[in-house]
Amino acid sequence: MEHKPLLMGYWNNDRNGRYDRPQDEGEAANLDLIEVPEEYNVIVVSTPYMDNDGFPEFKAHNKSNGKFYEQVENLTSKGRQVLFNLESEYVNRKNYNEESLATEIMHILAGNGFSGICIDLKRGIIDEKDNQVVIPAALKLVKEWCKEVDRDFSICIALHFHDLGDDNEGLPYLAELEGRYDLVCANLYYRDLADRRYDSRSFRFDEGGDWISEDDDEQKENFLYGIMDSLTNGTRGFPKIPHDKSVMGLPANQDAVHQGYVKDPSAVFNVLKRLKQSGRPIRGLSAYSINWDAGHDKDGQPYSHEFIKRYKGIITPV
């Protein structure tokens, strides 16, 4: 992946993704991939489906696969990265091995224009059976195959908010893919409405300091900086991620997720500035989701790509 500042976004094939939303909390937009604003230079395509053998594949929900792949190739021809999202609910739980999984991933990539894959797996899935060994091994095989045919293949790892912190000794696929992954996106929000166990998720970043919650607007800057500072240093019980491969994932707007929205964008800009001043500038930002960025609130008022309008300046090197 070309090393430049980036704005990444999740694009849901079925508009809202698999998460049910209350009708009074707004609605995400149904937009074609080709309509994604050009400032999103990395696009993670969700949601895949499973074939009869339990392997991941992709089916466009409102057009033929051929038309969809034409859109993918159109974007990649302009230098944008389009990643296939390997999500928790769609990982095969049968007895596959690294060769068979690698073959299926290469089948997805071949001729379809995808630039790589995003591993969007929760800890429980990655630990199930042999997943934490087989999935990284398969991706290593794909990486080698792409190298042999002179093709780029990017690997992005998405870290879920509630897999971070001092109860985590480092997710296994970070270690297994060290030196091979291109990006790690720390999604610093909580989006699942069905499970409220993490409503009060908070961290204390300094000994004797206050506990800071993800939804503390007054402390938002310190919360975001504390997480990213910990990740880029590998301190406070967090896994270490190279700063030039680190991406900070944020909600696109107040309706996009259950918790974690940043009301004041200056908090984000200050975090980026502080990380740069410390010698560890991160690679960029990610939005959940592109569809929500183009959606509307409960009163029908459009968000009009609030996320892009706020943060598009970071992709222009100073």
Side-chain angles (χ1 to χ4, degrees):
M1 179 177 289
E2 184 181 355
H3 194 84
K4 61 181 180 180
L6 60 85
L7 276 177
M8 186 170 99
Y10 288 84
W11 176 84
N12 285 313
N13 176 47
D14 52 354
R15 185 183 301 190
N16 290 347
R18 64 187 181 276
Y19 298 96
D20 293 329
R21 303 290 305 185
Q23 293 182 353
D24 61 348
E25 290 192 8
E27 187 176 14
N30 185 11
L31 72 164
D32 277 353
L33 191 64
I34 202 70
E35 297 174 325
V36 173
E38 63 181 7
E39 289 88 355
Y40 284 108
N41 48 15
V42 178
I43 302 165
V44 181
V45 171
S46 307
T47 307
Y49 297 89
M50 302 305 294
D51 66 17
N52 292 331
D53 296 320
F55 286 105
E57 63 176 15
F58 186 87
K59 293 181 181 177
H61 81 286
N62 63 353
K63 59 178 57 64
S64 69
N65 277 4
K67 291 291 185 181
F68 174 77
Y69 291 135
E70 285 180 9
Q71 294 188 356
V72 174
E73 292 172 355
N74 181 294
L75 296 184
T76 55
S77 70
K78 297 175 180 177
R80 299 166 75 180
Q81 299 283 324
V82 184
L83 308 181
F84 180 88
N85 202 24
L86 185 63
E87 298 179 85
S88 295
E89 278 71 6
Y90 302 95
V91 172
N92 175 25
R93 302 186 184 192
K94 300 178 183 179
N95 293 320
Y96 59 79
N97 56 41
E98 54 263 35
E99 288 84 6
S100 58
L101 182 58
T103 298
E104 293 301 319
I105 293 173
M106 286 187 281
H107 175 71
I108 292 170
L109 295 173
N112 294 335
F114 283 110
S115 313
I117 196 164
C118 179
I119 313 172
D120 193 6
L121 303 175
K122 296 179 181 178
R123 185 65 178 269
I125 298 295
I126 204 69
D127 284 346
E128 186 172 321
K129 294 184 178 180
D130 297 325
N131 281 347
Q132 62 180 284
V133 174
V134 172
I135 293 174
L139 292 178
K140 291 176 186 178
L141 290 176
V142 176
K143 194 89 167 178
E144 288 302 315
W145 173 75
C146 289
K147 183 177 181 181
E148 290 174 4
V149 298
D150 195 29
R151 175 174 178 169
D152 290 332
F153 175 68
S154 299
I155 298 175
C156 174
I157 299 173
L159 293 182
H160 289 268
F161 175 62
H162 39 281
D163 281 336
L164 298 171
D166 55 12
D167 57 344
N168 164 37
E169 295 179 357
L171 300 179
Y173 48 100
L174 281 174
E176 289 291 333
L177 291 169
E178 186 175 3
R180 291 179 172 87
Y181 61 73
D182 298 272
L183 297 174
V184 177
C185 180
N187 291 316
L188 305 184
Y189 49 80
Y190 186 58
R191 66 185 183 183
D192 193 344
L193 290 170
D195 187 344
R196 302 299 181 99
R197 289 178 299 165
Y198 298 97
D199 278 3
S200 299
R201 186 73 164 157
S202 59
F203 295 104
R204 181 162 55 194
F205 300 107
D206 297 301
E207 190 67 28
D210 294 332
W211 290 89
I212 304 175
S213 167
E214 64 176 312
D215 257 12
D216 188 333
D217 292 326
E218 292 184 1
Q219 291 287 334
K220 181 67 71 174
E221 177 186 331
N222 289 334
F223 174 83
L224 295 175
Y225 177 78
I227 295 277
M228 299 309 299
D229 176 71
S230 300
L231 288 171
T232 54
N233 280 304
T235 54
R236 306 181 180 105
F238 287 76
K240 185 174 183 178
I241 301 166
H243 67 87
D244 56 353
K245 296 183 178 182
S246 297
V247 179
M248 184 165 62
L250 303 170
N253 51 58
Q254 63 187 12
D255 285 336
V257 296
H258 180 42
Q259 285 188 317
Y261 174 60
V262 183
K263 291 183 178 180
D264 182 0
S266 67
V268 174
F269 289 116
N270 288 341
V271 169
L272 297 177
K273 181 179 179 180
R274 290 169 67 181
L275 289 168
K276 184 176 182 179
Q277 290 174 338
S278 68
R280 299 183 312 281
I282 62 173
R283 190 69 181 278
L285 302 176
S286 174
Y288 184 84
S289 66
I290 294 171
N291 305 69
W292 274 106
D293 200 21
H296 60 78
D297 66 17
K298 63 182 180 180
D299 298 319
Q301 295 299 311
Y303 280 114
S304 303
H305 299 289
E306 171 188 296
F307 189 89
I308 278 295
K309 290 179 179 178
R310 283 180 167 188
Y311 303 120
K312 63 183 180 181
I314 73 164
I315 62 174
T316 304
V318 177

